[in-house]
Structures are given as C-alpha cells and as structure tokens.
C-alpha cells in the first residue's frame, strides 16, 4: 500500500489529482491535454452512459453517428459559433506522411495538403445541421430527435483529468422542431433528464437554471444548465441544454413545409454531458481515504473478503459464500469475492476503500461458527455484525440506503453552503470564506457581471428556474433587481 | 414509394449503394470519405456492439479509452507499422484558427503550429503500448486484457459506405502477456469470438485462417482472420486478430519481471472488427427487395400492420393486439405496431421489406372474426395464416428458425461457391466465372502471390486453420505445396 492521499483540507486540488490516479480512474497521456481513461474509471463511465442512453431512448431519441471532421468553412457559417470555438481547434491540414529524403525520418508530405482544412469537431452542430438540410423537407419529418456518443477536441491550455481535457468523451443531442415552443419544451425536458440522472444516479443534487448571455453556448438563444457544488465550495457545471432558435437552421438553410404548405426555418436544440461528470462524481462525494461511489454507479457494489489461515479454511468460507454471491448476482448486484492470497485482508480493505466499493463484507471462521458477517459501509465508514441468514435482503436494502445517504449528505452540504447576501462586502466575505453558492441581486447587465468576475473570480452560475420573485437591489451597482441569481467560483 | 432498387444481377455495386441509402443505414457526408451512420443503421451497429462487448467481457477483457491523437514520433517506432500507415494519415499541424486580417474570413493561425505533428489514430498500438510501459512491471500485472471502442481514420482514396471509409468505428483489443504461448492462445481465442459472433449473430459463415506475410497487419508476426463470402462471389475480411510477438514491447521498451526475477519483453496481441461488418451483413443476405436482417440483429423483429377502414375498426384491432405486443416485449422480442394512417398497408409492407424486418403480421377485421393472422417472412417472402391463439409462441420459434435459415442459405451459397482447382487455367476460369473461394495449391512465395494478384486480382484470403494436409503442386509455379490455400477477389 502506497502512502496516504493528501487530505482535502490540506490541498484539495492535489487530493483530487492523486485520487484520480491512485483509484485507477485516469491518467495523463503523452499527448498534451489528452487523458487515458483506465479500465476502472471507464467502467464507471459505461454505467453512466448506459443509464443516460436508456433515458434518451425513453424520451424518443435515437443514436446516430456524424463525421469527426468539420470543413473549416462550416464552422464559420454561424457567426457566434465560430467566435466561440476558433481559438481552440485542432486543425488537420495534410493527409499523408512520407520518408524524408534527408534522412530526418518521417515527415508530413507537403504534396498531400488538403484543399480545405478540416477541424476536429469541438461540437457537431455545424456538421449535423448541414446533414439535416437533406433530411428535413416537411413537418412530417419533425421532430427529429437524435443523439450521438462521441469524442470531441477543444484545445484547452490548462487541463485537468476529467474536468478539462483537450479530448473528452460526451454525448450530444441535436433535435429539430416545427415550432419554437416545441424546441423550448425539448430543451427543458433534456435539462430535466440530466437533473434526474445527476440526482438519482450520481447522488448529486443540482440547481436547474438559465445562463446569462455572458455564459451562453456560442450559437444559442438560451442555455439551460445544471450546477453542482463541490466539497471545496466551488461550483461545477454538470450539463447544458441549449435552445438554438433558428440560428443553425438559418446558417445551413434548413427549412420545412408546414401543414399549410408554407416554408419555414426549423427550430433547434442541442444538449450534452461529458466525462466531466466523472470529475463531479469524484469531487462531490469522496473523502480522504479515497473514492466514495453511489451504489448505482459502482462497478463493484459489494466486495467479500475472506479471513483465512489456510486453504482448508478458505474452502469452508468459499462454500458458505458461494450461494450468497449467486443470490446477489441474481438480483443484479455486482459482487466480488476476493480470495486472492497475494495480499493480506488489511491491504484489501484499504484498496477497496480507495476504490469506493460501497459495501465490504469480511468473513472469518468465527463468523462461520456464529452465523454472522461483518458489514462495512464505505460512505459512513461504519461497521456492524449481522446474521448471515437474510444477508442478501439486508445488502439489497443497505445499497438503497447508501445511495440515499450519499445524496442527503451532498444536499445538506449544499444547503449549508448556499448563502443569500445583501451587500458586495458580504458577497466577497462569503466567497473568500466558505465559498459555495452565493445568492445575490444583480442588475442584469453584462458590465456588472464582468466587473464582479474581474474583482472576485465569481461568475453567475445561473438564474435558477424556480427562483421566487423577490425585488431587491444589485449588490454591485445598487440598481433594481427582480430576483436573486446564483454566483460562485467554479471549475 | 420510390422506384425499385437496382437488381443484384444487373449491378451488384449499385444495388448495394442504393440499398444502404434507401434503407436509411448510412450516407456520404460533406467530408470526403467520411460517412454519416443514420439512426436505423446505427441501431444495428449498437446491437452488434452490445453482443461483442458482452463476449469480450465474458472472456475477461475490460474497456478503456486512449487518446485520439498519436505523436508522429510514436508511429515511427515500429518500422513495419509506420510503413503500413504513413501513406494514409490525417495530420494535425495547428491548434487554432483566427480571423484573417485581409478579410478572407477564418484562417489557420500560423502562430499556433504544433511542435510535433499529431496523427489522428489509424489504429492505437503505438499510443497504447507507450502507456503499457507504465502499467506493466511484474508478471503479476499480466495478462493485461483491454479493449477500446473508438473511431479511427485512414485516408483511403476510394471509399464506399461501411466497406471502406476514411473514418470508421471499431473496437480494438490490445493485450499483453508473459509468454508467446499465452499471447498466441489469446489471438486464437479472439478469432474464435469473432467467428462465433459472425455465425451466431450475423448468420454469416466464415472461414478461419492465417494471412500470408503479404497480407499481414503492419507490425504483426501473424495475422489471423475470418473471411466471408458475399453474394457476388467476392470475399470480405470480417475481422482480424494479430499475434504481435514482442514487436511493440521492444519498440516501446515494455518489460516485466518474471517469477524468477528476470526482466523480459512482454508479448502482445491486437484484434479488431469495425463498421465494415455492417457492409458484410448487408451484402451477404439482402435481396432485390431490400435488406434481409437476421432476427438477432434486427432493430425491429416483428412489425404488426393493421388493415382498417375507420377509427372504430382500428380500435378493435388495437385492443386485440395490445396483449400480443406486451407478451412479445416481455420475451425480449422487439415489436412495432404501425397504426399510422399516413400510409396505406401496401406502402408499409414495401417499407418494412426494404428495411429487413424479419416478420410482418397483417391483421384485418376478417382475421379478428376468424381468430387468425397473416404472418409473412422477410427472408423467404412466404406467407401463412396462423391462429392468433398461441401466436407469441409461434413467433418466438419462427424468429429462431429464420435466424437459422438465413445462416443455412449463406452456408449453402458458400459451399456452392467454393471450388478446388488444379491448374492455373481452371483457376482463372472459376474466378472469371462464378468467382467465390478458390482452393488452390500455392508454393508459399510472395513472388507467386504477387504475380497471381497482378494477373487475376485474386489474393490469398487465408491459409485455413483446419486445412487438411494434401500434398500437391502450385497452380502457378508447379513447385510443391503441402496444402491448398483460399484465393478470391475481395472487398
């Protein structure tokens, strides 16, 4: 067992980086800013994918696949869009390497220069809307409800595993509708799908809100978002759903004939979540001993560690455990019986703690005699001795309890770290103190928002969807405000 | 309904291209050589993925994800490998676009040139083995059994939907082992996984064999393959599994300490199948009316078309059908009840035929009275009237029968188009006649292989794994040969 993790209070950032590596979730690759997602980390991502994909399909969406490359000219067709993405594009300029004549090894073949450069997709609105042009003629072709699971590249200068990487994995939904109303309803529906996923699967409470114009997606009319709070008091945007209006339909000339035979531009949405969710999951729940995973996303939900002195004892333990393992599997609970003798039980305990396995059973000869087993919870680090009789039922309930407890803890943390403030002094005090979500009045101008960001590094995370009307005055300018918005420093 | 498909006998190639487009499987994108996989096509690919992924996991493999980009210098580290892929690489040279000062719009920013060019992965051996160097120290770290689902890019000049595209989707397994024997066993095991998948899921009989040195993967010691026969008598390589020896371990200095404390280079394998399988699936079974899909891969297995004159009749039919639909779904059979009144039954029949739905039920008022339903099979185009009572059981058996029948038909076709020949005259005659697999003696030299390819466009598809010893003489050179090999023209 290697040395302990840095603690969160000591160095939150180092704690995160080390945890990601030691729990075998991901690591940096030799390619600047690109990560390797390791098998254990990827198996969590696969569970997220499966759950989200099922939810997308239940809401009527189909998967498809569009090209990795976008012709440079496409990116330019929507003005705000290219402005937003041009600065961080990986550009393919050639399509061949060759042996250099001067013995310098393999070089780019200058004769194989592309006529038009290709951009590695940072997001696929342009290539998808250029395709939709041919797919949509009539109102009968609408709504068009499509999702894509893909890799995208944004050339970020400062990267961190999962949170900000040059290449990342994500899904991007792209839908087309006959009316603005239907498109807005879709935008909100998918936001709710994300919020439900975050809360029910990730055990992560989220605020649902709308971005200010400053923070909007490049090319959207409105960007809806879910915002989560991390343990260091910083916010993390966990998913976005954009109402695109007719922007991309106009840029790519996508029209449909309505029921009256009139040609109209189509209304669009796009929405996405990415491997960034892995970062949110890790940072929201884990502790100084390692990962804490909500059972619904844990690759191993229950680990059974036998305590034995010799092969004969192990055989007895194995015999008693095999039915339990079978029964757990039958219920869809993933279980590992770790009978390897390469490592001592204590080493195994620490290892599964680091990897966030929600429940650990330890079973020795005394337990066999007594008909009991030691059950340890990862989230609370509590242990209890329970009868082997009925253990499967017990574990099934316990996993549900843990899922709920992890959510409740995160929710209580967020509540304790959401602070209404009524002056700029108070605003800065809270930010520099415990941080968290700061609820403040704002005058609605980008100017004030910019100033506050410049002076405090806090941004408006969102205007909450369910924010009550509450007249007040902007903490910065003193101008009138209709409701509080949510400020925070963020990832 | 648009006009009929071109027939296979008329123009096989056009038939394929049109079928892929009309059945909504895929289309060409605006980016040269890159395809859009449409929702219906993608849903077949998803079924393939799920089945393969389950088989990989059952054989002990885990998924992970490695970077899209490969530093140019990495590609060069294995000599045969770079030789094989350098000519068809998409090369990223810059990481930013900018507004051109001369008003030419968006241009590549020359200030943002990469120090070292990045290659969009054509395959990931190099980036993965550079990572394995850090993951493998001891025999305890072996075997390392990893798979990746990803997109790759090979800049092909002549592309065809699914069969040969610049970007394609695939999985690539990359494993590391302590001994040559274990690595070879893994190579063969994964070939058998592919063969089983092809035969049991795709209903596609395949030959298992080894490639000649000419046809080997760039960087492999041995390439094993499965080869299928298409309806036009051409072969299609449907999957490959490579024994890499220590080639990549040496190129990337990947060593492990064995049980005796000695440092040794690791032994490797890699294996992959791609969206090319979609091409094989389409070409092997489909007919002049459209797709024929084996039930196990059909997104819709049973379609029910009600025949009605008014809403009241439809209601009665719907009431009778709803239990059947529920019961089918409970058994995991995907069913669609197409009660739209936008199109007539005849139109629907043709549409589902085009899309390869294995079984179609048609149900009218007379059927309700008689307690019967018309059941039509897509593969044989036969119809029968069967009692509604017990229909679910009937359909469940029928789908199994269809899966088997499609396989049997493809198997019989392959048998009828596999021809042993004993002279070069006969060889050419068969090739120019019905084509298919030609079993011929070959002297074992690349020279002869090249000559035959040059003169006839036929290549050695494989040396079959189970080929019986049968001394003979090479059809080209007359030199002695120990066994027949399989020649064919191919995709």
């Amino acid at each position: 067992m290697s040395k302990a993790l840095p603690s969160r209070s000591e160095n939150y950032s180092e704690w995160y980086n080390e945890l990601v590596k030691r729990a075998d979730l991901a690591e940096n690759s030799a390619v600047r800013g690109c990560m390797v997602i390791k098998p254990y980390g990827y198996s969590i991502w696969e569970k997220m994918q499966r759950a989200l994909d099922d939810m997308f399909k239940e809401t009527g969406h189909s998967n498809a696949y569009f090209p990795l490359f976008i012709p440079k000219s496409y990116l330019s067709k929507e003005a705000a869009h290219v402005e937003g993405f041009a600065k961080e594009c990986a550009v393919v300029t050639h399509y061949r390497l060759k042996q250099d004549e001067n013995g310098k090894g393999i070089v780019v073949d200058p004769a194989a220069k592309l006529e038009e450069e290709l951009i590695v997709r940072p997001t696929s609105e342009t290539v998808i809307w250029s395709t939709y042009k041919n797919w949509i003629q009539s109102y009968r072709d609408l709504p068009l409800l499509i999702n894509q699971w893909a890799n995208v590249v944004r050339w970020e200068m400062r990267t961190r595993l999962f949170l900000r990487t040059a290449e990342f994995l994500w899904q991007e939904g792209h839908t087309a509708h006959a009316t603005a109303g239907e498109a807005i309803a879709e935008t909100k529906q998918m936001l709710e799908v994300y919020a439900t996923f975050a809360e029910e699967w990730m055990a992560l409470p989220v605020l649902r809100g709308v971005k200010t114009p400053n923070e909007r997606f490049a090319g959207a009319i409105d960007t809806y978002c879910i915002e989560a709070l991390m343990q260091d008091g910083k916010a993390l945007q966990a998913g976005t759903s954009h109402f695109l209006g007719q922007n991309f339909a106009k840029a790519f000339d996508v029209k449909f004939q309505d029921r009256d035979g009139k040609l109209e531009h189509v209304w669009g949405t796009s929405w996405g979540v990415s491997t960034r969710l892995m970062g949110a999951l890790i940072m929201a729940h884990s502790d100084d001993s390692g990962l804490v995973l909500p059972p619904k996303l844990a690759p191993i939900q229950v680990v059974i560690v036998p305590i034995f002195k010799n092969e004969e004892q192990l055989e007895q333990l194995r015999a008693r455990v095999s039915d339990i393992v079978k029964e757990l599997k039958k219920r869809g609970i993933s279980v590992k019986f770790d009978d390897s003798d390469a490592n001592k039980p204590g080493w195994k305990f620490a290892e599964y703690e680091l990897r966030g396995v929600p429940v650990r059973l330890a079973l020795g000869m005394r337990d066999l005699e007594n008909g009991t087993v030691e059950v340890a919870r990862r989230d609370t680090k509590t242990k209890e001795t329970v009868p082997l009789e009925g253990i499967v039922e017990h574990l099934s309930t316990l996993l549900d309890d843990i899922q709920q407890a992890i959510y409740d803890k995160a929710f209580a943390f967020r509540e304790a770290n959401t602070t209404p403030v009524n002056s700029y002094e108070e605003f800065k005090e809270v930010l520099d103190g415990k941080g968290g979500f700061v609820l403040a009045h704002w005058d609605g101008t980008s100017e004030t928002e910019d100033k506050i960001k410049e002076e405090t590094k806090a941004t408006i995370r969102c205007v909450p969807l369910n924010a009550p009307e509450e007249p007040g005055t902007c903490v910065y300018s003193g101008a009138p405000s209709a409701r509080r918005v949510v400020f925070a420093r963020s990832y």
Side-chain angles (χ1 to χ4, degrees), chain A residues 15 22 25 30 36 52 68 73-74 77 217 231 243 248 261 290 345 349 372 389 404 407 420 446 455 464 483:
Chain A
W15 164 80
R22 295 215 207 155
L25 301 174
V36 173
L52 284 164
L68 170 66
S73 58
Y74 277 38
K77 289 205 178 182
F217 174 73
Q231 292 179 70
F243 170 55
F248 286 90
F349 289 2
T372 57
E389 191 69 39
Q404 186 62 44
Y407 176 84
S446 287
E455 293 171 19
R483 64 179 57 78

Side-chain angles (χ1 to χ4, degrees), chain A residues 52-53 56 59-64 66 123-126 128-129 132 144-150 152 170-177 183 186-187 189-191 193-194 217 240-244 248 267-274:
Chain A
L52 284 164
D53 198 66
F56 299 157
T59 44
H61 302 84
S62 300
N63 289 326
F66 296 86
T123 180
S124 302
E125 277 77 6
T126 55
I128 288 180
W129 279 89
Y132 281 2
L144 185 57
L145 306 173
I146 290 187
N147 176 63
Q148 162 170 280
W149 290 96
V152 286
W170 80 344
Q171 61 67 219
E172 46 182 325
H174 296 271
T175 71
H177 306 264
E186 165 80 6
T187 312
Q189 172 187 252
M190 298 322 290
L191 187 80
V193 163
Y194 289 157
F217 174 73
T240 48
S241 183
H242 314 294
F243 170 55
L244 304 174
F248 286 90
W267 298 83
T269 85
S270 66
W271 28 276
V273 296
S274 72

Side-chain angles (χ1 to χ4, degrees), chain A residues 10-184:
Chain A
E10 204 180 332
N11 189 334
Y12 191 82
S13 172
E14 258 315 292
W15 164 80
Y16 174 78
N17 294 342
E18 278 298 305
L19 177 52
V20 169
K21 281 177 218 168
R22 295 215 207 155
D24 268 347
L25 301 174
E27 64 183 38
N28 288 306
S29 78
V31 183
R32 210 196 57 79
C34 293
M35 67 182 157
V36 173
I37 307 180
K38 299 179 77 171
Y40 191 62
Y42 199 85
S43 66
I44 299 172
W45 175 242
E46 280 181 303
K47 281 183 171 275
M48 290 187 173
Q49 282 189 299
R50 183 68 66 92
L52 284 164
D53 198 66
D54 286 346
M55 293 169 92
F56 299 157
K57 283 176 179 155
E58 270 162 33
T59 44
H61 302 84
S62 300
N63 289 326
Y65 189 76
F66 296 86
L68 170 66
F69 298 128
I70 297 177
K72 195 188 65 183
S73 58
Y74 277 38
L75 206 62
S76 317
K77 289 205 178 182
E78 212 289 329
H81 192 69
V82 67
E83 172 73 21
F85 289 105
K87 289 181 207 104
E88 47 185 37
C89 280
V91 188
V92 175
T93 55
H94 293 74
Y95 58 86
R96 193 164 60 221
L97 299 172
K98 64 164 195 170
Q99 197 71 42
D100 181 46
E101 289 98 20
N102 306 322
K104 282 190 184 162
I106 298 293
V107 296
V108 174
D109 184 346
K113 192 168 187 307
L114 289 169
E115 268 183 57
E116 178 178 7
E117 295 90 347
L118 296 172
I119 310 305
V120 181
R121 64 181 162 220
T123 180
S124 302
E125 277 77 6
T126 55
V127 71
I128 288 180
W129 279 89
S130 78
T131 308
Y132 281 2
K133 180 176 169 52
N134 300 319
W135 292 6
I136 299 170
Q137 270 89 40
S138 142
Y139 67 91
R140 287 191 203 88
D141 302 320
L142 299 174
L144 185 57
L145 306 173
I146 290 187
N147 176 63
Q148 162 170 280
W149 290 96
N151 53 344
V152 286
V153 172
R154 298 176 187 177
W155 209 266
E156 303 279 357
M157 278 303 159
R158 295 185 55 192
T159 62
R160 288 189 74 189
L161 291 168
F162 291 125
L163 297 172
R164 197 173 289 278
T165 48
E167 181 192 17
F168 55 91
L169 303 185
W170 80 344
Q171 61 67 219
E172 46 182 325
H174 296 271
T175 71
H177 306 264
T179 66
E182 283 174 37
I184 292 170

Side-chain angles (χ1 to χ4, degrees), chain A residues 356-369:
Chain A
V357 177
V359 176
R360 179 189 80 218
L361 305 191
L363 188 76
M365 298 313 287
R366 168 100 26 112
D367 292 301
L368 272 200
E369 280 163 34

Side-chain angles (χ1 to χ4, degrees), chain A residues 56 111 117 126 184 220 240 244-245 250-251 274 289 301 307 323 325 337 340 343 353 367 402 431 442 446 461 490:
Chain A
F56 299 157
E117 295 90 347
T126 55
I184 292 170
T240 48
L244 304 174
K250 284 180 178 163
S274 72
S289 307
Q301 295 174 309
I307 319 287
D323 279 350
V325 168
F337 177 57
S340 75
N343 299 300
E353 198 168 68
D367 292 301
I402 292 173
L431 267 182
W442 161 63
S446 287
R461 302 315 305 155
S490 74

Side-chain angles (χ1 to χ4, degrees), chain A residues 250-264:
Chain A
K250 284 180 178 163
F252 289 91
D253 192 30
V254 185
K255 289 181 182 164
F256 74 103
Q257 197 159 37
D258 69 13
R259 276 165 205 273
D260 306 325
K262 224 170 54 185
L263 269 185
E264 300 275 8

